[in-house]
Amino acid sequence: MQQSPATGLGLGLALLSAVTFATSGTFARSLIEDGWSAPSAVIARVGIAALVLAAPALLSLRGRWHVLRRNIGVLGVFGLLGVALAQVCFFNAVRYLPVGVALLLEYLGIILVVGWTWLVHGQRPRRLTVAGAAAALAGLVFVLDLTGAGRLDPLGVLWGLGAAVGLAGYYVLAGRVDPELPSVVLASGGMGVGAVALGGLGLVGALPLNATFGEVTFAGQQTSWLVPIAGLSLVAAVVAYLTGIAGARILGPRLSSFVGLTEVMFAVLIAWLVLGELPTVVQLVGGVLIVAGVALVRVDELREPPATTAVPEPVLAAER
């Protein structure tokens, strides 16, 4: 079975999303190390991105306000789960756990996506998908190079599992949203909801809101705080969310979530190029396993469905 042009486009968008999402840690590090709290960095990231995309979102609707009204609930849940919950839980997890352990727990959301499509939509994972899941998760362990981790803080583990729920929600909602709702509207609306929710939690004292507005250290150089803020909001949010949502709408939640696993590999490479952190041989082996796992899922997706299965739902088009 040959790959359709739409599927190739979806893979390209999903990979671009993974690359741009992977830059967030490098940009955020310079802010957090110079006095920003993690929630403040997240609010700046998604809040600015939501404003940047507001005008294109309104133009893309072309006056079809009924589409927006029909999907208000979806926008709200996407913003709370895929944006606010995922990021808040992850940044809280790293307060109690090593970053690598927290990230691995978050990516258990990939398994939740497979379980969701199986239990809710009857899409039982076949052997290649199971093998791909095992290979990709094994690759994550190698890429994160988890060695000798001590006793894990139970509270940190709970935050990490919360981030996994948020990540699963991101992929499921992005892949099964109303095809009449433009991707840019979902991205802008979802990030706007996320920023408002996090800001509200900060105002009531549930989250720390600290920020400084001087020079920060980025990639070993002193620069304005606006540089990492621009990177976080425009590259790691606007481009990342737009391409991620569009890719998920073409590929579906299961395949796009596995392609998203490559974010960890790209994050390692970006840290090497920008921060001089050279990947180890173990991490490179992990990268190969991740790519192999994605390839197995891709092959499984391309296989003809058995004759006894229902006609598959049509592929959702990306933003026109």
Side-chain angles (χ1 to χ4, degrees), residues 35-246:
W36 284 64
S37 64
S40 295
V42 173
I43 291 171
R45 173 190 181 187
V46 299
I48 294 173
L51 292 175
V52 169
L53 293 176
L58 292 174
L59 289 174
S60 69
L61 283 172
R62 300 181 183 89
R64 295 173 296 163
W65 303 114
H66 66 284
V67 175
L68 181 60
R69 288 193 297 269
R70 190 170 66 217
N71 290 279
I72 286 294
V74 173
L75 288 173
V77 176
F78 180 79
L80 293 175
L81 280 180
V83 178
L85 180 66
Q87 296 191 41
V88 168
C89 287
F90 175 73
F91 283 116
N92 275 287
V94 298
R95 292 172 55 195
Y96 303 97
L97 303 174
V99 174
V101 175
L103 189 58
L104 182 59
L105 287 172
E106 181 183 22
Y107 269 88
L108 289 176
I110 305 302
I111 304 303
L112 296 180
V113 171
V114 174
W116 173 269
T117 56
W118 182 6
L119 295 176
V120 177
H121 299 284
Q123 299 176 13
R124 182 175 182 176
R126 293 175 291 196
R127 291 181 180 178
L128 283 181
T129 293
V130 174
L137 289 176
L140 273 177
V141 174
F142 282 112
V143 168
L144 297 171
D145 203 5
L146 303 175
T147 56
R151 182 180 178 183
L152 299 182
D153 190 304
L155 185 57
V157 172
L158 289 176
W159 280 117
L161 294 176
V165 173
L167 184 68
Y170 166 82
Y171 281 117
V172 170
L173 290 170
R176 297 190 179 278
V177 75
D178 186 344
E180 291 189 48
L181 183 70
S183 298
V184 65
V185 176
L186 179 61
S188 179
M191 286 190 288
V193 170
V196 170
L198 295 179
L201 289 173
L203 290 177
V204 299
L207 294 174
L209 297 180
N210 304 317
T212 59
F213 304 101
E215 288 194 338
V216 299
T217 303
F218 177 69
Q221 303 293 325
Q222 289 296 116
T223 186
S224 169
W225 64 278
L226 292 172
V227 173
I229 283 292
L232 270 178
S233 57
L234 300 180
V235 177
V238 172
V239 176
Y241 275 99
L242 273 181
T243 54
I245 291 170

Side-chain angles (χ1 to χ4, degrees), residues 246-273:
R249 296 176 78 166
I250 296 173
L251 301 176
R254 185 169 62 184
L255 179 56
S256 62
S257 66
F258 277 91
V259 177
L261 281 168
T262 58
E263 177 190 341
V264 182
M265 182 177 63
F266 287 130
V268 171
L269 293 175
I270 290 169
W272 173 32
L273 295 174

